[in-house]
Amino acid sequence: MNVKIESSWKEALKDEFIKPYFKKLADFVKEEYKSDTVYPPPNRVFAAFDNCPVDHVKVVILGQDPYHGPRQANGLAFSVSEDVSTPPSLQNIYKEIESDTGKIMPKHGNLERWAKQGVLLLNATLTVRGGSAGSHQGKGWEEFTDTAIKYLAENKENLVFLLWGSYAQKKGELVNRHKHLVLEAPHPSPFSADKGFFGCRHFTKTNAYLIMHEREPIEW
């Protein structure tokens, strides 16, 4: 199957594209786009990979689903396009960055600037039906994105995995903590941010680790 995805990821994940589950997943997603409103737009489904080639990855931030509201999802976890209001979880991420680093965050929620610096903003499920959270879970995306996480965990060293909330933290089982830094906190959503996300200081901790391993820190 010819999947349009950044070339280094296409090579890393090539075995997935020929597996029966992926063919079934691709057929399901195509039908969903034909029959319903699905986010993100088709050309943004693999945006997390397209904006952050394998050898550029320094940090992995895991989300669950794309945003399911109109025009919100742009293929990067927690991110929205510049003409869309910043969602509450990202507002809380920005608050923690400002508290942690002193840097004032932009008024928009487009995180492509992070991706270009080596932050893989990966949702476990890469598509969703409009207005229906979780509607594309259990269709095969999780197997695909787990493989991407495992590939990085096994083939790279000294990456930082930021796991916010119980769903992301379960993915931490795929990561060797002797080779990588895994930082965990409650999810930044308004329901849980004050239970330990605020004050986690993950952003300065990430940069301290990158600097210790002679890598460029992230300009959050």
Side-chain angles (χ1 to χ4, degrees):
M1 181 179 295
N2 184 27
V3 176
K4 292 181 179 176
I5 190 172
E6 191 275 330
S7 59
S8 65
W9 281 110
K10 192 165 192 174
E11 175 63 23
L13 300 172
K14 62 185 178 185
D15 291 344
E16 300 307 295
F17 302 131
I18 58 175
K19 289 181 179 177
Y21 89 85
F22 194 86
K23 169 74 163 60
K24 192 174 177 183
L25 168 65
D27 289 345
F28 166 77
V29 171
K30 281 178 191 168
E31 282 305 311
E32 286 282 282
Y33 273 108
K34 283 181 191 172
S35 63
D36 215 318
T37 300
V38 174
Y39 302 119
N43 66 342
R44 298 288 302 181
V45 170
F46 295 110
F49 300 104
D50 295 338
N51 281 276
C52 195
V54 171
D55 285 342
H56 291 194
V57 178
K58 296 187 279 192
V59 180
V60 181
I61 296 179
L62 295 178
Q64 188 166 353
D65 260 4
Y67 295 119
H68 56 269
R71 296 171 43 248
Q72 285 186 304
N74 66 2
L76 306 177
F78 294 102
S79 175
V80 292
S81 300
E82 293 185 15
D83 59 347
V84 176
S85 60
T86 305
S89 289
L90 183 53
Q91 289 180 30
N92 286 337
I93 291 169
Y94 278 180
K95 284 178 188 173
E96 176 58 22
I97 293 172
E98 291 187 358
S99 169
D100 187 16
T101 70
K103 183 182 176 186
I104 302 301
M105 291 291 97
K107 299 297 183 189
H108 65 79
N110 189 343
L111 301 180
E112 281 191 11
R113 66 189 186 280
W114 292 4
K116 297 296 186 188
Q117 296 177 75
V119 181
L120 182 67
L121 294 157
L122 184 63
N123 281 316
T125 304
L126 299 187
T127 54
V128 69
R129 198 178 303 138
S132 183
S135 49
H136 286 187
Q137 290 177 9
K139 302 296 184 182
W141 279 131
E142 294 91 342
E143 184 171 346
F144 179 75
T145 54
D146 278 1
T147 301
I149 295 165
K150 282 189 272 192
Y151 182 87
L152 290 172
E154 291 169 5
N155 292 280
K156 300 295 173 184
E157 292 185 355
N158 305 324
L159 302 182
V160 182
F161 289 82
L162 301 182
L163 308 181
W164 300 330
S166 58
Y167 184 89
Q169 285 158 18
K170 286 186 186 119
K171 304 288 186 184
E173 296 168 9
L174 304 171
V175 180
N176 181 340
R177 297 175 190 232
H178 296 293
K179 286 176 66 177
H180 306 286
L181 177 64
V182 177
L183 297 175
E184 299 182 353
H187 195 277
S189 99
F191 301 107
S192 54
D194 60 356
K195 295 176 183 172
F197 179 78
F198 291 140
C200 70
R201 305 204 67 192
H202 279 185
F203 304 96
T204 52
K205 289 175 182 176
T206 293
N207 280 346
Y209 182 84
L210 293 174
I211 291 167
M212 183 171 71
H213 292 282
E214 301 182 340
R215 305 193 77 182
E216 281 290 312
I218 305 299
E219 186 68 37
W220 299 108

